[in-house]
Amino acid sequence: MAEVEAEKAKKIVVLLIGPPGSGKSTFCDTVMRSSHRPWSRICQDIINNGKAGTKAQCLKMATDSLREGKSVFIDRCNLDREQRSEFIKLGVPGVEVHAVVLELPAQVCISRSVKRTGHEGNLQGGRAAAVVNKMLQSKELPKVNEGFSRIMFCYNDADVENAGNTYNKLGPMDTLPSGCFGEKKSDTKSQPGIMKFFKKVNALPGSSSNEATNATRNYNEKTENVRVSPAKLGSADIVPTLAFPSISTADFQFDLEKASDIIVEKAEEFLPKLGTARLVLVDLSHGSKILSLVKAKAAQKNIDSARFFTFVGDITKVRSEGGLHCNVIANATNWRLKPGGGGVNAAIFKAAGPDLEAATRVRANTLLPGKAVVVPLPSTCPLHNAEGITHVIHVLGPNMNPNRPDNLNNDYTKGCKTLRGAYTSLFEGFLSVVQDQSKLPKRSNQTALSDSGEDIKEDSERNKKYKGSQDKAVTNNLESGSLEDTRDSGKKMSKGWSTWALALHSIAMHPERHENVVLEFSDNIVVINDQYPKARKHVLVLARQESLDGLEDVRKENLQLLQEMHNVGLKWVDRFQNEDASLIFRLGYHSVPSMRQLHLHVISQDFDSDSLKNKKHWNSFTSSFFRDSVDVLEEVKSQGKANVASEDLLKGELRCNRCRSAHPNIPKLKSHVRSCRSQFPDHLLQNNRLVARPET
């Protein structure tokens, strides 16, 4: 009789959906401890005799468990439709497929992942934050039409507890109502961003890639290296970071035990001085003994593994190949501070090109053992452009190699003292970089004049709306003048960017912290609405690469990024034209930006906006100061850089963007533009500079 009842009982496959740290395994354990229904937990981290396995093994174990009359928890991330599809097929007659979506805040998942120890999949410490953020970029929330009979959404611990109780109380013969429960609408975002002066967008939600990212697949399939884009790193990766090799342990043959003691000692000493900055010991070898020793000794001292950790990879490619964003790297150099030899020194000089050698010569010609020298990299340096590295710190350690000249003849008393001095100099150099980069010039209290001579400084009502911003530094600066008026003043700051001008850079580097303004983002770009649109439709496509402040910084190695920005811009044009086929667009860049971070304007040519107020606004989009994206692409491809126009063009006459007739002021110009039906100038009709929907 019991066997008949078991046969009639409807089994359940529950897909737990959430990134690492969202609480999937804890959810399973909580339910299974006291549930009256037999459950089987399928966890890819341990499915292969306690080791990581494959999706195929998970599917087989799930099938076997269902045959045994058990319901099943699929304890994987399951963040995109493709990853879920095979498990949904388990939903044959007599088997329902449910989803429990652990949609907890990213910072909660990151914090849990970074702090945990002894994780089954060994995803913990510093790299966990990068993996979580990378996974979240490819996340697709489940839909009933995928094949689910029931979906529960959990946004906080209370929701998770409620969902756990629902399954915990489920007896062998019990069933649950079908449908979607607890989902919040996408237009009800409540988490405030720190840049409230950018407009929220409800009409066009951003899209995300449907393909699983490398990091997600690498984690799900348990490969050893997880590669993630530096631009999307989470709270543990938004701080200054020094990547450094083990000094003197390779060619100079310093004892590894002693060296690891000194590394950990000095890291422990300097971390409190560095604020939130991180130290990362890098080695090429997965079997590196120095990495193992340092990792173990740091753990014994309870050093924060989110701020001091080890990393396997090429120190010149930690960003592009390893997903670790480091703004400073250390070079175990020779006393001549020259390229040559082997190992790290040769690799760094080769990757940086002649710029590093020239910049080094400005700072020093030789280096003594136990000392370091900080070398800022010019923006033309390949390491700066490709990897976002702003400084190289040359450091020279003690020579214990008996086969090399000037060795210390096995005198470890002197050797240890010298190595301590080397790491002290290295970390002090990094500290100076951190302190220097945190000092931003303050914005001067300047105002611009309109063509009629009126002061266009912001009014008090407008100023009030910025005071609620969580980013107090930006707010304080905004109180002395409007963002709108100053950002379009056409004046680029050559020596530094004040806080108000860093808004775009902040969003580009950390879009996950600005979800209230971001329409879309990927590894390389972020799309937002222009806060002060100069037309009915006006969005910005931001580059997510460090060191690209504006068009003048673009080089041939950035061509692929420029093409992606252009393609994304065209995608948004298509979306807008699906709403209004009459809209015509241009895609382009200002020759000289007043806000830091390369950004592409996607702007409709109606210029119907209250925010368009003065000559500079108009001429920045209708004169040759505005560089069409298609022309920039051709120039960078053919000559390695883009042409930029003079800011003097902003002072030109007010001319209609169609018929080119001149007008005395903005109101009269706007009145004319609204009724002008002339053909656009010939040069705009060529080379796809204008994007219009073909007439049907």
Side-chain angles (χ1 to χ4, degrees), residues 541-567:
V541 182
L542 315 182
R544 299 197 61 193
Q545 182 171 318
E546 288 277 10
S547 78
L548 285 182
D549 291 348
L551 198 56
E552 65 180 7
D553 299 316
V554 168
R555 294 296 181 267
K556 199 163 190 175
E557 57 263 30
N558 307 123
L559 186 60
Q560 185 175 351
L561 173 61
L562 295 176
Q563 186 65 61
E564 182 175 349
M565 294 172 71
H566 183 83
N567 293 341

Side-chain angles (χ1 to χ4, degrees), residues 140-436:
E140 295 175 273
L141 294 178
K143 303 294 182 184
V144 172
N145 61 15
E146 291 181 40
F148 293 106
S149 61
R150 178 184 175 88
I151 303 175
M152 287 188 75
F153 284 84
C154 304
Y155 295 92
N156 51 50
D157 290 338
D159 291 344
V160 175
E161 182 179 0
N162 179 54
N165 290 335
T166 299
Y167 285 95
N168 188 28
K169 297 174 182 178
L170 200 62
M173 303 298 293
D174 296 335
T175 59
L176 291 172
S178 299
C180 188
F181 301 87
E183 183 178 18
K184 293 182 180 179
K185 294 182 180 180
S186 60
D187 60 353
T188 58
K189 296 177 181 177
S190 59
Q191 181 177 352
I194 65 171
M195 299 287 181
K196 286 190 176 179
F197 46 83
F198 283 93
K199 282 187 177 177
K200 295 182 180 179
V201 175
N202 297 322
L204 290 171
S207 62
S208 61
S209 170
N210 291 337
E211 297 181 6
T213 60
N214 287 339
T216 307
R217 284 182 174 158
N218 283 344
Y219 177 67
N220 282 335
E221 302 303 329
K222 295 301 161 197
T223 57
E224 187 169 2
N225 287 322
V226 179
R227 298 182 180 183
V228 285
S229 167
K232 290 183 183 175
L233 304 184
S235 60
D237 288 83
I238 60 175
V239 293
T241 301
L242 167 68
F244 65 98
S246 176
I247 308 301
S248 290
T249 54
D251 192 36
F252 283 174
Q253 298 183 5
F254 200 96
D255 180 80
L256 297 183
E257 285 285 352
K258 292 181 173 63
S260 59
D261 286 337
I262 293 171
I263 293 172
V264 174
E265 169 196 321
K266 286 298 171 182
E268 186 179 31
E269 175 186 339
F270 272 87
L271 281 176
K273 304 175 184 179
L274 290 168
T276 59
R278 302 182 305 173
L279 303 173
V280 185
L281 178 65
V282 179
D283 195 284
L284 272 174
S285 172
H286 285 273
S288 168
K289 186 176 180 181
I290 190 66
L291 292 192
S292 298
L293 288 169
V294 168
K295 186 175 181 180
K297 292 176 181 180
Q300 290 173 2
K301 288 179 171 286
N302 294 318
I303 297 177
D304 185 354
S305 61
R307 296 189 52 225
F308 175 53
F309 54 94
T310 61
F311 188 87
V312 177
D314 184 341
I315 198 169
T316 67
K317 299 176 181 178
V318 291
R319 171 177 176 167
S320 58
E321 293 189 356
L324 179 67
H325 186 197
C326 299
N327 60 316
V328 183
I329 63 174
N331 176 33
T333 189
N334 52 54
W335 71 273
R336 295 183 181 87
L337 293 172
K338 287 189 175 183
V344 172
N345 185 66
I348 290 178
F349 270 106
K350 181 178 179 181
D355 286 335
L356 174 57
E357 190 171 3
T360 299
R361 287 290 161 258
V362 174
R363 297 289 172 137
N365 291 311
T366 60
L367 192 64
L368 293 173
K371 301 297 182 182
V373 59
V374 179
V375 179
L377 291 181
S379 60
T380 55
C381 178
L383 271 180
H384 195 299
N385 281 319
E387 300 294 324
I389 295 169
T390 61
H391 295 75
V392 170
I393 303 179
H394 297 299
V395 58
L396 183 61
N399 176 17
M400 310 304 290
N401 188 343
N403 298 317
R404 295 288 300 271
D406 301 320
N407 70 80
L408 294 181
N409 196 25
N410 208 36
D411 183 355
Y412 270 96
T413 300
K414 185 174 182 180
C416 289
K417 181 179 179 181
T418 303
L419 190 60
R420 283 189 177 90
Y423 281 108
T424 296
S425 296
L426 170 60
F427 294 158
E428 284 179 345
F430 177 51
L431 177 59
S432 71
V433 173
V434 172
Q435 292 171 337
D436 288 344

Side-chain angles (χ1 to χ4, degrees), residues 93-163:
V95 178
E96 289 186 351
V97 181
H98 297 184
V100 174
V101 186
L102 303 178
E103 187 76 345
L104 275 66
Q107 59 266 34
V108 172
C109 300
I110 291 170
S111 178
R112 290 176 178 175
S113 299
V114 169
K115 293 178 181 178
R116 65 189 178 186
T117 58
H119 180 246
E120 293 169 333
N122 197 32
L123 185 64
Q124 56 200 39
R127 77 185 186 105
V131 174
V132 172
N133 271 300
K134 186 66 175 182
M135 285 183 168
L136 289 175
Q137 309 322 313
S138 64
K139 177 184 68 177
E140 295 175 273
L141 294 178
K143 303 294 182 184
V144 172
N145 61 15
E146 291 181 40
F148 293 106
S149 61
R150 178 184 175 88
I151 303 175
M152 287 188 75
F153 284 84
C154 304
Y155 295 92
N156 51 50
D157 290 338
D159 291 344
V160 175
E161 182 179 0
N162 179 54

Side-chain angles (χ1 to χ4, degrees), residues 13 38 70 80 120 231 264 431 434 478 480-481 493 510 554 621 657:
V13 174
K70 298 178 180 178
D80 63 59
E120 293 169 333
V264 174
L431 177 59
V434 172
L478 286 168
S480 65
M493 305 173 74
H510 318 300
V554 168
F621 290 98
N657 61 317

Side-chain angles (χ1 to χ4, degrees), residues 534-539 576 583-586 602-608 657:
K534 301 304 185 290
R536 287 166 57 193
K537 298 295 182 182
H538 187 183
V539 298
F576 291 136
L583 292 173
I584 300 172
F585 286 82
R586 282 179 78 185
V602 180
I603 184 168
S604 58
Q605 295 301 286
D606 50 270
F607 294 108
D608 183 9
N657 61 317

Side-chain angles (χ1 to χ4, degrees), residues 445-459 480-482 485 613-614:
N445 187 11
Q446 295 178 341
T447 58
L449 296 179
S450 67
D451 298 312
S452 61
E454 295 178 348
D455 187 354
I456 61 171
K457 193 174 178 181
E458 68 180 359
D459 58 46
S480 65
S482 80
D485 298 329
K613 295 184 173 183
N614 57 57

